[in-house]
């Protein structure tokens, strides 16, 4: 035996704890090393972290079971995790969990060969559902996939995979991490306009200088922001460093990937919730080993173990989906800025409708603002008009006004396409009894059930509870008395079928699109012109580029303005702009019709006049007045308990021990607008403080001064986006 020296190390585990545990390892390993260790009766993945606590006597010390072959987690990423834990007031181990989400990726793969799709699909062979699943798994993979992973991701047997190989569907190939060869990223982009070139050069320069001061890349939809940051991606790859592009999950569709591939010759690695396990494992390992050069992903990609990150792009930076609301509550856009600073990476935030936070950062010079003034080429911004529903009231049981119906009809006559946008899933948001007036609510939440006629159910959008659509009223027992109130997209679909019987509309929502394959198929159908009317929620509002789509109808432009949400106006403005941005993206002129009961509302006025800057200015003034973000800081506390009286008692107890501090105000406890979810009652506190002072220490002191009853849970939300 060699005389290697055993050592004691501290290991951080991906559990909701901040502390580390000591283990013995048979040779000294550097901090950041990925290891597997016994914990209780289980084996866990962890990371060597800080110095040993020395708590456990040598005789009881357990052994590290495995040391990963991957390079250790960099000090920069470890620092980031610590920073996020302290900012978000979350246990360090919970933050680590986001950074090692695929525990089995730490150790090397066994299989050396895998399968990819054959160049030609064999003719006449049967395509069973199982075989289709295999094809779908491989179609989404950038490189060969191990047989065991295909079995797991497609839920098929080994025999199915082997038979498909023999039948000629699949080809064998050595397994390799995805790489972009030197030649492929040399592919030149289009000739840029002067404004585009200036913007691209600025970001490229920051990549080269490792300058992580954020850049805001603004400009209307279609102005070429993507082309501009592609230049920076190319420059970063040329310098041999890795790139991370963050996108909201629903914008991360096949069109974006195809566009990237057309420019760079290879698809980037993808990272989001729908990516199958095998691909996640390969991507995570490839990123850690430095062999995956580009990742495009949703917010969770922020914690991937890049050893040499040169550029982060946060596209659609204003999008609320960057805020994670469960577990560790954090905003990936803000944390991306922190990661870039720690990595010495350049960072660009792109948006046609920047968030007020980013806008103010740019105004005050913390972010460098670049703006692309116009749509590229001959494409012009669409004409935007309000349809005043007080004048053009749709007939009973209809939701589309005369002017909107006419506009859609004339688009169809010109062989163009229309999009009808309504940000509401299902058939109807409310079911009411005509006899007793009763409404059907969720048994576990303080919400009304939403009818999904397609599936014949009433469903709760908060807990997933569903019941068959009842035939008699559950309250009064009268039959055939229940009526659907208000429209969801399914109801708009029914109206379109009634009005345009020759057209087969498509519906794009999270209910109808089960995964990327469904989206890809719908996108193809739009591109081929087979789908002529698209009806959708915000899923249809983002990112897509359909050259023949010329009419966009916003069924209910006022939706979203109600409620007491701090960002209601800002969000409505952003969403309307996104939707409008789908119209007339190529050489055909687009037209946007917004149905509204309140055309004089400031948000509608700003939108109608295309006055984004004016709107932001007005919002900024109002927020500054109210000392709301970004001119003040907020921390929300959400208390929940199954027992309402325990919740109320604890809320009062907490209110009694609010520590006095100059400039800090505490509001609450107040019953939350969503008073109950999944059987738990909810109450809220809101802490407001000055912008130049963090509130975390204050909140820690406050919460540290009470004993929290076992029945009560407290969620701390720093920089809250949701006020429900
Ligand atoms: P944005 O990201 O701002 O919405 P895109 O980068 O998607 O804009 O550009 C809109 C369309 O215009 C795309 O089809 C893009 O390829 C094209 N485009 C933008 N700039 C140029 C250019 N300089 N040369 C050729 N095509 C361009
Ligand atoms: Zn519910």
């Amino acid at each position: 035996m060699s005389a290697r020296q055993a050592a004691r190390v501290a290991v951080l585990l991906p559990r909701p704890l901040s502390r580390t545990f000591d283990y013995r390892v048979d040779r000294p390993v550097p901090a950041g090393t990925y290891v597997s260790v016994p914990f209780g009766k289980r084996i866990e993945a962890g990371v060597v972290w800080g110095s040993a606590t020395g708590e456990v006597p040598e005789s009881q010390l357990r052994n590290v079971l495995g040391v990963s072959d991957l390079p250790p987690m960099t000090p920069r990423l470890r620092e980031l995790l610590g920073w996020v834990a302290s900012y978000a007031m979350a246990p360090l181990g919970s933050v680590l969990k986001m950074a090692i989400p695929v525990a089995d990726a730490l150790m090397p793969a066994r299989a050396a060969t895998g399968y990819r799709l054959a160049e030609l699909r064999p003719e006449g062979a049967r395509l069973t559902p199982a075989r289709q699943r295999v094809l779908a798994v491989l179609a989404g993979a950038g490189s060969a996939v191990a047989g065991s992973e295909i079995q797991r991701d497609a839920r098929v047997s080994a025999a199915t995979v082997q038979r498909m190989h023999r039948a000629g569907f699949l080809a064998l190939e050595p397994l390799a991490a995805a790489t972009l060869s030197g030649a492929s990223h040399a592919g030149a982009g289009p000739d840029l306009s002067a404004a585009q070139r200036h913007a691209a050069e600025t970001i490229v320069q920051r990549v080269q200088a490792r300058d992580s001061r954020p850049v805001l890349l603004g400009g209307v939809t279609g102005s070429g922001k993507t082309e501009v940051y592609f230049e920076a991606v190319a420059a970063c790859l040329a310098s041999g460093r890795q790139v991370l592009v963050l996108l909201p999950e629903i914008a991360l569709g096949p069109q974006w990937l195809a566009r990237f591939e057309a420019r760079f010759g290879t698809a980037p690695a993808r990272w989001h919730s729908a990516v199958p396990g095998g691909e996640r494992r390969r991507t995570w390992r490839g990123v850690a080993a430095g062999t995956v050069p580009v990742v495009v992903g949703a917010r969770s990609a922020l914690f991937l173990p890049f050893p040499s990150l040169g550029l982060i792009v946060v596209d659609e930076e204003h999008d609320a989906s960057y805020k994670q609301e469960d577990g560790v509550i954090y905003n990936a856009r803000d944390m991306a800025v922190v990661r870039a600073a720690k990595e010495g990476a350049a960072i660009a935030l792109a948006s046609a409708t920047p968030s007020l936070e980013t806008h103010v950062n740019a105004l005050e010079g913390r972010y460098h603002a670049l703006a692309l003034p116009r749509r590229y080429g001959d494409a012009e911004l669409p004409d935007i008009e309000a349809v005043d529903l007080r004048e053009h009231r749709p007939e009973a049981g209809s939701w589309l006004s005369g002017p909107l119906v006419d506009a859609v009809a004339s688009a169809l006559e010109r062989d163009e396409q229309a999009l009808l946008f309504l940000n509401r899933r299902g058939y109807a948001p409310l079911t009411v009894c005509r006899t007793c007036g009763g409404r059907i609510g969720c048994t576990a939440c303080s919400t009304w059930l939403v009818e999904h006629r397609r599936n014949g159910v009433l469903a709760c959008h908060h807990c997933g509870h569903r019941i068959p659509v009842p035939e008699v009223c559950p309250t009064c027992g009268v039959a055939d008395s229940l009526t659907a109130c208000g429209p969801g997209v399914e109801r708009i679909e029914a109206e379109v079928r009634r009005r345009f019987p020759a057209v087969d509309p498509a519906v794009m929502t999270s209910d109808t699109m089960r995964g990327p394959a469904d989206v890809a198929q719908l996108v193809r159908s739009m591109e081929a012109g087979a789908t002529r009317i698209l009806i959708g929620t915000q899923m249809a509002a983002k990112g897509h580029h359909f050259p023949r789509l010329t009419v966009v109808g916003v069924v209910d432009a006022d939706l979203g303005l109600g409620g007491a949400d701090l960002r209601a106006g800002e969000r409505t403005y952003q969403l309307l702009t996104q939707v409008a941005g789908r119209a007339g993206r190529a050489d055909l002129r687009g037209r946007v019709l917004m149905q509204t009961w309140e055309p004089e509302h400031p948000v509608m006025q700003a939108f109608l006049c295309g006055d984004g800057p004016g709107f932001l200015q007005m919002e900024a003034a109002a927020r500054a007045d109210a000392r709301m973000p970004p001119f003040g800081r907020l921390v929300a506390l959400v208390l929940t308990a199954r027992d309402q009286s325990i919740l109320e008692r604890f809320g009062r107890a907490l209110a009694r021990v609010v520590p006095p501090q100059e400039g800090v105000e505490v509001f609450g406890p107040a019953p939350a607008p969503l008073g109950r979810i999944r059987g738990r009652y909810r109450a809220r506190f809101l802490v407001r403080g000055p912008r130049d002072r963090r509130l975390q220490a204050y909140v820690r002191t406050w919460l540290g001064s009470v004993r929290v009853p076992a029945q009560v849970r407290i969620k701390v939300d720093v920089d809250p986006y949701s006020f429900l």
Side-chain angles (χ1 to χ4, degrees):
M1 239 180 79
S2 69
R4 285 196 302 199
Q5 205 188 348
R8 182 189 275 256
V9 289
V11 175
L12 181 68
L13 297 173
R15 298 180 150 256
L17 301 165
S18 289
R19 56 158 302 180
T20 56
F21 295 89
D22 283 4
Y23 288 90
R24 182 189 301 112
V25 61
D26 62 2
R27 67 193 128 121
V29 292
T33 301
Y34 298 103
V35 291
S36 59
V37 296
F39 189 77
K41 289 191 169 47
R42 303 180 31 154
I43 296 177
E44 293 243 17
V47 175
V48 174
W49 203 283
S51 37
T53 65
E55 278 171 2
V56 184
E58 201 64 32
S59 58
Q60 284 168 30
L61 207 55
R62 301 176 82 180
N63 288 324
V64 165
L65 300 175
V67 174
S68 171
D69 60 325
L70 291 169
M73 183 184 279
T74 61
R76 301 178 297 283
L77 180 50
R78 277 181 286 135
E79 260 179 48
L80 177 80
L81 302 187
W83 199 96
V84 171
S86 132
Y87 190 85
M89 301 184 67
L92 184 55
S94 302
V95 181
L96 178 69
K97 190 166 185 192
M98 303 194 292
I100 46 173
V102 272
D104 69 340
L106 301 184
M107 300 303 158
R110 265 160 296 154
T113 52
Y115 298 92
R116 61 170 173 76
L117 289 181
E119 297 296 324
L120 290 173
R121 182 176 288 189
E123 276 173 45
R126 268 185 332 122
L127 255 189
T128 59
R131 288 182 164 191
Q132 282 173 8
R133 289 199 299 277
V134 172
L135 296 182
V137 165
L138 288 176
S143 55
V145 179
S148 57
E149 285 169 9
I150 300 177
Q151 288 171 42
R152 189 175 64 199
D153 292 344
R155 304 185 309 283
V156 296
S157 66
T160 303
V161 177
Q162 283 151 15
R163 273 199 296 270
M164 286 182 75
H165 178 225
R166 279 200 300 275
F169 284 102
L170 312 181
L172 266 176
E173 193 172 86
L175 281 175
T179 44
L180 285 177
S181 71
S184 59
H185 57 72
D191 288 334
L192 299 182
S193 70
Q196 289 175 334
R197 199 169 344 106
H198 170 72
E201 279 166 6
T202 307
I203 306 174
V204 166
Q205 227 167 41
R206 297 206 172 203
V207 171
Q208 284 159 352
R210 299 176 187 244
D211 179 344
S212 52
R213 286 174 302 158
V215 171
L216 163 61
L217 180 56
V220 295
T221 50
S223 58
K225 296 185 292 298
T226 311
E227 294 297 345
V228 165
Y229 72 68
F230 274 3
E231 291 294 312
V233 170
C236 186
L237 294 176
S239 79
R241 284 176 298 155
Q242 293 165 293
V243 177
L244 169 62
V245 179
L246 293 178
L247 273 173
E249 187 146 341
I250 56 179
L252 222 167
Q255 279 189 314
W256 197 95
L257 295 171
R259 191 167 163 192
F260 185 96
E261 188 163 354
R263 170 72 188 270
F264 293 98
T266 326
R270 310 174 296 162
W271 189 269
H272 55 79
S273 63
V275 172
E279 185 180 342
R280 288 172 85 77
R281 186 178 185 285
R282 276 193 312 285
T283 298
W284 197 89
R285 283 187 68 82
V287 169
T291 53
V292 167
V294 183
V295 176
V296 53
R299 62 174 183 244
S300 58
L302 179 66
F303 295 105
L304 284 169
F306 299 96
S308 78
L309 192 56
L311 171 67
I312 304 178
V313 176
V314 184
D315 202 349
E316 312 284 5
E317 69 85 28
H318 62 278
D319 199 280
S321 72
Y322 285 121
K323 183 75 194 290
Q324 172 155 307
E325 300 284 2
D326 305 308
V328 180
I329 302 178
Y330 71 99
N331 188 319
R333 187 240 357 247
D334 298 341
M335 298 306 137
V337 171
V338 177
R339 180 154 196 188
K342 298 210 177 290
E343 301 279 352
I347 178 161
L349 310 179
S351 174
T353 51
S355 62
L356 191 68
E357 281 83 354
T358 298
H359 174 74
V360 169
N361 275 324
L363 272 186
E364 296 179 349
R366 278 185 299 277
Y367 293 3
H368 183 82
L370 297 166
L372 305 177
R374 290 182 278 290
R375 279 195 161 179
Y376 174 74
D378 296 331
E380 288 189 55
L381 283 175
D383 293 319
I384 299 177
E385 24 188 314
V387 178
D388 188 339
L389 289 174
R390 292 167 303 195
E391 263 171 63
H392 304 279
R393 198 183 196 112
E395 57 225 65
S398 300
W399 315 97
L400 306 179
S401 62
L404 181 51
V405 172
D406 293 344
V408 171
S410 73
L412 295 176
E413 267 163 36
R414 294 190 305 270
D415 206 18
E416 295 166 5
Q417 294 161 314
L419 164 68
L420 296 175
F421 171 79
L422 176 62
N423 208 11
R424 213 192 248 148
R425 291 159 50 204
Y427 183 83
L430 183 64
T431 304
V432 177
C433 174
R434 275 190 307 255
T435 310
C436 71
R439 308 163 171 202
I440 305 188
C442 179
T443 48
C445 311
S446 50
T447 53
W448 306 120
L449 295 184
V450 177
E451 180 177 357
H452 287 252
R453 195 159 283 192
R454 206 180 277 271
N455 310 322
V457 298
L458 301 181
C460 172
H461 285 180
H462 288 277
C463 72
H465 171 67
R466 40 176 57 202
I467 55 171
V469 177
E471 283 167 19
V472 302
C473 170
T475 316
C476 69
V478 173
D480 294 325
S481 181
L482 295 172
T483 19
C485 289
V489 280
E490 283 185 26
R491 201 166 199 178
I492 302 302
E493 178 193 4
E495 182 173 346
V496 165
R497 289 190 187 280
R498 198 167 70 233
R499 289 183 187 275
F500 304 100
V503 174
D504 184 23
V507 178
M508 189 176 204
T509 72
S510 54
D511 300 306
T512 57
M513 302 286 109
R514 287 294 155 83
D518 287 347
V519 177
Q521 194 182 355
L522 178 50
V523 165
R524 274 196 302 274
S525 167
M526 280 295 286
E527 283 170 347
T531 293
R532 306 179 64 205
I533 300 181
L534 178 63
I535 301 159
T537 56
Q538 58 176 341
M539 196 183 219
K542 301 196 178 172
H544 308 289
H545 178 70
F546 302 121
R548 296 201 68 77
L549 176 62
T550 55
V551 168
V552 167
V554 180
V555 176
D556 184 353
D558 311 325
L559 191 72
L561 280 175
D565 190 329
L566 170 68
R567 297 180 179 81
E570 186 188 344
R571 269 192 206 151
T572 300
Y573 184 83
Q574 287 159 346
L575 190 54
L576 291 177
T577 308
Q578 288 289 335
V579 183
R582 300 310 110 215
R585 288 179 59 95
D587 46 350
L588 300 169
R589 187 73 190 246
R591 202 174 154 206
V592 179
L593 294 94
M594 289 198 311
Q595 298 194 145
T596 169
W597 292 98
E598 223 187 326
E600 55 288 323
H601 191 289
V603 171
M604 298 301 150
Q605 283 301 319
F607 181 68
L608 287 169
C609 310
D611 188 13
F615 171 73
L616 284 173
Q617 209 174 354
M618 186 180 75
E619 271 291 301
R623 298 247 194 114
D625 255 5
R627 289 188 293 121
M628 282 296 192
F631 305 99
R633 288 177 185 264
L634 295 179
V635 175
L637 261 52
V638 181
L639 319 182
T640 67
R642 290 199 176 276
D643 183 319
Q644 196 167 9
S645 61
I646 291 179
L647 180 71
E648 285 170 1
R649 209 173 319 132
F650 178 66
R652 286 193 300 269
L654 202 51
R656 277 195 297 273
V657 294
V658 166
Q661 189 174 118
E662 168 135 29
V664 178
E665 296 155 286
V666 175
F667 307 97
L674 263 174
R676 197 164 67 114
I677 297 183
R678 291 173 202 271
R680 298 184 73 87
Y681 290 90
R682 307 170 75 247
R684 301 180 63 101
F685 281 96
L686 192 63
V687 185
R688 178 170 69 183
R691 94 191 266 197
D692 56 4
R693 214 183 318 145
R694 293 225 178 118
L695 291 168
Q696 283 88 337
Y698 176 86
V699 172
R700 232 173 254 128
T701 309
W702 179 25
L703 293 180
S705 69
V706 286
R707 207 187 56 80
V708 184
Q711 301 94 322
V712 176
R713 279 186 222 145
I714 304 183
K715 191 168 101 168
V716 181
D717 184 356
V718 179
D719 305 333
Y721 272 61
S722 165
F723 296 87
L724 290 178

